């Protein structure tokens, strides 16, 4: 019994953006090489997802948007775009971290225990978090740390997502896991829509420099 | 026709609703000056983050202030360039979502062109062409002949620092605060500009501007004077130097183009010395001078809404497919 009849999901935390649309009968996944064209094609991606399932936006019961961690520009554009659709289209909005998606994938595989997961970050570094399966709950920004490439190499037993790293097992994100998240997780509504924001795990270089200067003073 | 204007090209998030291109129904600006002050300038990454925080609450507020619902808006005008790319993309994404959802036209607006329309909006009147436009701000100094909507010929632009950037850098060096324009003006009040003679950059040569050499001259003077430096006089002198350079170019352009009116716009157009010099020039050359009030000089969405209204018919393509363009030049088409 699916509590949510239909949904629309989009993630642009990587140059290969992912979309998924769910209807009462099925779900369908999409991916696009966005490069520098995400802003130009946002509406086209949504149109394509809707038309592929012969669905209209009015029939969509909830929206999901990737909140990272990942490309900050891509995340800000999609959160800005889909939050607008949610606010003015009267739809609930679910911010989905790729780590949550990964955790749900592991759960569906029947795995249990604590797993260290990594997503690629800037300058060949890695965003890393630990999840407990089953029942670990949604990942918060505070649970994610950034490791430089050198520091990451020292970490034991890391499972990598959306990348290949020698000696690390990789995890393929399961569209069925996302389907489950989109249909069962509690989305934001009303004023809480504003709390759906990208994960800002690492500060900008200017903030790092300012912090250093403040400490030295 | 009601136009929703969206501006997020730099460090101000702004939304406004404009009626028939001439009347401001509501206008709100969320400034990030306090956030960027500690860095001594705008940090692009921080600016983008703050735009995303501010834009939706501001959208709700501007609709409330105008006592309107979104479906009463006829079209959406959004700053598409030039500006900081990450910052522009926030506004463009929100504008596109609104246009797509409400099935309303989306009008890409050039931020610099919009500054020129602010001068007419300030007087609640339609733009009258042709005119000479001078846009001076933290990121730009451009002199252009405007012959119609989107029919603009750039005569000159800065080859290095923009005047606002020049003021920011000097203010930071003299530890006067941020942003530089207002603090330099305040510090120079009652000052004697003749105490520190400064060069008038690129006077008599073409229509391009340069303020880098002037910056070096000011910094050298400050170093030379050391503790004896009279900041008030130096601030007065450098405002005269900037205003003198700009006025000389505009005077020659007015003589050459013979247009009946002059528009001076952008954040630096708020400078009292520049306003005085331009007023004197307009009187001398018998042209109409339009300078917006201080609230419309700095970045704002009211000017975006007005520019969107007056340029809407120019767009024949599917504007939902446009992208933000950080280096979109005044009068140039948007890149595919």
């Amino acid at each position: 019994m699916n509590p949510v009849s239909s949904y629309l999901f989009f993630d642009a935390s990587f140059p290969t953006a992912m979309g998924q649309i769910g209807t009462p009968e099925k779900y369908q996944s999409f991916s696009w090489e966005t490069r520098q064209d995400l802003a130009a094609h946002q509406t086209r991606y949504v149109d394509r997802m809707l038309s592929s399932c012969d669905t209209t936006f009015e029939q969509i019961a909830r929206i999901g948007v990737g909140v990272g961690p990942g490309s900050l520009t891509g995340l800000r554009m999609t959160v800005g775009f889909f939050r607008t659709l949610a606010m003015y289209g009267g739809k609930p909005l679910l911010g989905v971290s790729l780590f949550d998606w990964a955790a749900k994938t592991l759960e569906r595989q029947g795995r249990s225990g604590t797993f260290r997961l990594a997503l690629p970050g800037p300058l060949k570094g890695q965003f890393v978090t630990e999840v407990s399966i089953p029942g670990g709950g949604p990942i918060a920004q505070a649970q994610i740390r950034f490791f430089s490439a050198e520091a990451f190499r020292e970490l034991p037993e890391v499972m990598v997502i959306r990348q290949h790293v020698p000696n690390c097992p990789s995890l393929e994100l399961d569209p069925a896991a996302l389907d489950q998240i989109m249909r069962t997780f509690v989305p934001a509504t009303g004023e809480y829509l504003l709390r759906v924001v990208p994960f800002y795990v690492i500060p900008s270089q200017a903030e790092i420099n300012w912090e250093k200067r403040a400490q030295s003073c | 026709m009601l136009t929703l204007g969206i501006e997020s090209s730099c460090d101000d998030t702004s939304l406004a609703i404009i009626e028939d291109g001439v009347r401001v129904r509501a206008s709100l600006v969320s400034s990030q000056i306090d956030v960027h002050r500690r860095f001594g300038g705008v940090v692009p990454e921080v600016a983008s983050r703050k735009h995303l925080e501010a834009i939706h609450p501001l959208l709700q507020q501007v609709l409330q202030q105008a006592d309107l619902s979104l479906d009463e808006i006829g079209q959406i005008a959004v700053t598409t360039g030039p500006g900081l790319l990450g910052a522009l993309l926030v506004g463009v994404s929100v504008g596109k979502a609104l246009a797509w959802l409400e099935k309303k036209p989306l009008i890409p607006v050039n931020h610099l062109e919009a500054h020129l329309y602010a001068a007419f909006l300030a007087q609640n009147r339609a733009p009258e062409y042709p005119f000479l436009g001078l846009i001076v701000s933290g990121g730009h100094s451009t002199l252009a002949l405007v012959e119609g909507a989107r029919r603009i010929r750039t005569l000159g632009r800065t080859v290095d620092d923009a005047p606002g950037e020049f003021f920011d850098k000097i203010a930071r060096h003299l530890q006067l605060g941020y942003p530089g324009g207002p603090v330099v003006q305040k510090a120079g009040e009652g000052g004697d500009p003749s105490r520190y003679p400064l060069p008038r950059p690129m006077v008599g040569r073409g229509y391009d501007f340069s303020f880098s050499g002037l910056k070096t001259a000011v910094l050298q003077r400050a170093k030379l004077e050391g503790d004896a430096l009279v900041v008030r006089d130096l601030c007065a002198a450098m405002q005269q130097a900037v205003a003198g350079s700009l006025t000389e170019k505009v005077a020659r352009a007015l003589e050459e183009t013979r247009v009946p009116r002059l528009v001076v716009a952008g954040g630096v157009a708020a400078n009292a010395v520049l306003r005085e010099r331009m007023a004197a020039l307009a009187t001398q050359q018998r042209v109409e001078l339009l300078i917006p009030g201080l609230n419309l000089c700095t970045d704002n969405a009211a000017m975006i809404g007005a520019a969107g209204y007056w340029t809407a018919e120019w767009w024949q393509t599917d504007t939902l497919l446009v992208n933000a363009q950080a280096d979109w030049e005044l009068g140039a088409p948007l890149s595919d």
Side-chain angles (χ1 to χ4, degrees), chain B residues 78-155:
Chain B
V78 62
T79 308
T80 311
L84 303 170
L85 186 61
L88 287 166
L89 286 167
V90 174
V92 167
S93 296
V94 170
K96 281 192 172 191
L98 291 171
W100 181 84
L101 190 65
E102 295 293 318
K103 298 179 175 58
K104 299 284 168 64
L106 180 79
I107 305 150
V109 172
N110 182 292
H111 177 87
L112 297 178
E113 189 174 2
H115 269 300
L116 299 172
Y117 285 96
F120 295 96
L121 178 65
Q123 297 189 6
N124 304 112
R125 63 191 253 202
E128 288 173 77
Y129 310 103
F131 62 85
L132 190 69
L134 174 69
I135 306 149
V136 274
S137 68
H140 309 277
S141 58
T142 303
L143 184 61
L145 175 63
V146 184
E147 293 168 313
R150 306 243 65 241
R151 282 175 51 217
I152 301 172
R153 184 157 61 91
T154 298
L155 303 176

Side-chain angles (χ1 to χ4, degrees), chain B residues 150-217:
Chain B
R150 306 243 65 241
R151 282 175 51 217
I152 301 172
R153 184 157 61 91
T154 298
L155 303 176
R157 60 168 71 87
T158 187
V159 295
D160 41 54
D161 291 349
E165 191 180 2
F166 160 79
F167 285 133
D168 280 347
K169 287 176 178 173
I170 298 296
R172 189 161 57 213
H173 182 80
L174 298 176
Q175 297 185 321
L176 296 175
Y178 173 85
V183 295
V184 165
Q185 181 177 316
K186 194 166 187 338
E189 278 170 12
D192 173 14
S194 64
R195 180 194 288 265
Y196 299 119
L198 293 169
R200 298 286 188 270
M202 295 180 81
V203 163
R205 283 188 285 150
Y207 290 119
D208 283 341
F209 307 99
S210 167
F211 296 99
S212 177
L214 180 63
K215 179 182 69 189
T216 306

Side-chain angles (χ1 to χ4, degrees), chain B residues 2-336:
Chain B
L2 294 169
T3 307
L4 174 70
I6 303 175
E7 156 65 24
S8 70
S9 65
C10 190
D11 60 342
D12 287 317
T13 318
S14 179
L15 283 111
I17 297 168
I18 304 301
E19 189 173 341
D20 297 333
V22 293
R23 186 171 154 239
V24 181
R25 285 284 295 268
S27 179
L28 292 170
V29 180
S30 170
S31 171
Q32 301 176 11
I33 283 179
D34 289 340
V35 177
H36 296 285
R37 184 172 280 125
R38 61 177 169 158
F39 305 117
V42 178
V43 178
E45 164 58 27
V46 176
S48 310
R49 200 185 303 168
K50 292 292 169 191
H51 283 308
L52 187 61
E53 283 175 20
I55 199 161
H56 287 110
L58 219 52
L59 177 55
Q60 287 175 312
Q61 287 167 33
V62 82
L63 288 167
Q64 275 171 10
Q65 194 179 77
D67 197 20
L68 292 166
S69 61
L70 189 60
D71 57 8
E72 292 175 88
I73 299 293
Q75 56 188 8
I76 291 139
V78 62
T79 308
T80 311
L84 303 170
L85 186 61
L88 287 166
L89 286 167
V90 174
V92 167
S93 296
V94 170
K96 281 192 172 191
L98 291 171
W100 181 84
L101 190 65
E102 295 293 318
K103 298 179 175 58
K104 299 284 168 64
L106 180 79
I107 305 150
V109 172
N110 182 292
H111 177 87
L112 297 178
E113 189 174 2
H115 269 300
L116 299 172
Y117 285 96
F120 295 96
L121 178 65
Q123 297 189 6
N124 304 112
R125 63 191 253 202
E128 288 173 77
Y129 310 103
F131 62 85
L132 190 69
L134 174 69
I135 306 149
V136 274
S137 68
H140 309 277
S141 58
T142 303
L143 184 61
L145 175 63
V146 184
E147 293 168 313
R150 306 243 65 241
R151 282 175 51 217
I152 301 172
R153 184 157 61 91
T154 298
L155 303 176
R157 60 168 71 87
T158 187
V159 295
D160 41 54
D161 291 349
E165 191 180 2
F166 160 79
F167 285 133
D168 280 347
K169 287 176 178 173
I170 298 296
R172 189 161 57 213
H173 182 80
L174 298 176
Q175 297 185 321
L176 296 175
Y178 173 85
V183 295
V184 165
Q185 181 177 316
K186 194 166 187 338
E189 278 170 12
D192 173 14
S194 64
R195 180 194 288 265
Y196 299 119
L198 293 169
R200 298 286 188 270
M202 295 180 81
V203 163
R205 283 188 285 150
Y207 290 119
D208 283 341
F209 307 99
S210 167
F211 296 99
S212 177
L214 180 63
K215 179 182 69 189
T216 306
V218 171
L219 294 177
Q220 279 176 344
R221 174 58 71 177
K223 191 177 174 187
L224 201 70
E225 295 288 323
D227 291 343
L229 179 73
V230 183
V231 172
R232 189 175 60 172
D233 293 346
L234 185 65
C235 285
M238 62 188 175
Q239 287 179 87
Q240 286 293 349
V242 169
S245 172
L246 294 170
T247 309
E248 189 271 339
K249 307 272 177 190
V250 171
R252 275 196 292 114
L254 282 172
E255 282 166 17
E256 187 190 316
T257 59
R258 302 274 174 199
V259 291
R261 59 190 65 82
L262 166 66
V263 168
V264 181
V268 177
N271 182 273
V273 176
L274 181 64
R275 291 171 90 95
E276 255 174 49
R277 296 285 292 264
M278 289 294 167
L281 174 67
T283 306
Q284 185 196 340
Q285 299 231 10
R286 295 181 182 178
V287 296
E288 183 189 16
L289 174 66
L290 291 97
I291 308 184
L294 302 188
N295 62 327
L296 288 174
C297 275
T298 49
D299 291 351
N300 65 87
M303 67 183 195
I304 304 300
Y309 180 86
W310 295 111
T311 59
E313 283 185 13
W314 191 87
W315 295 95
Q316 303 294 325
T317 53
D318 183 359
T319 51
L320 279 179
L321 298 179
V322 301
N323 206 342
Q325 192 180 328
D327 60 352
W328 188 13
E329 288 185 12
L330 190 64
L334 257 178
S335 299
D336 289 333

Side-chain angles (χ1 to χ4, degrees), chain A residues 129-169:
Chain A
T129 194
E130 284 187 5
V131 296
S132 296
I133 312 291
I139 305 294
Q141 181 174 313
Q143 294 169 265
I144 304 168
R145 288 182 62 199
F146 180 74
F147 288 79
S148 66
E150 295 73 33
F152 178 75
R153 276 195 284 273
E154 304 301 316
L155 285 177
E157 295 173 29
V158 185
M159 189 175 276
V160 296
I161 307 163
R162 299 195 80 177
Q163 59 184 321
H164 294 287
V165 177
N167 305 319
C168 292

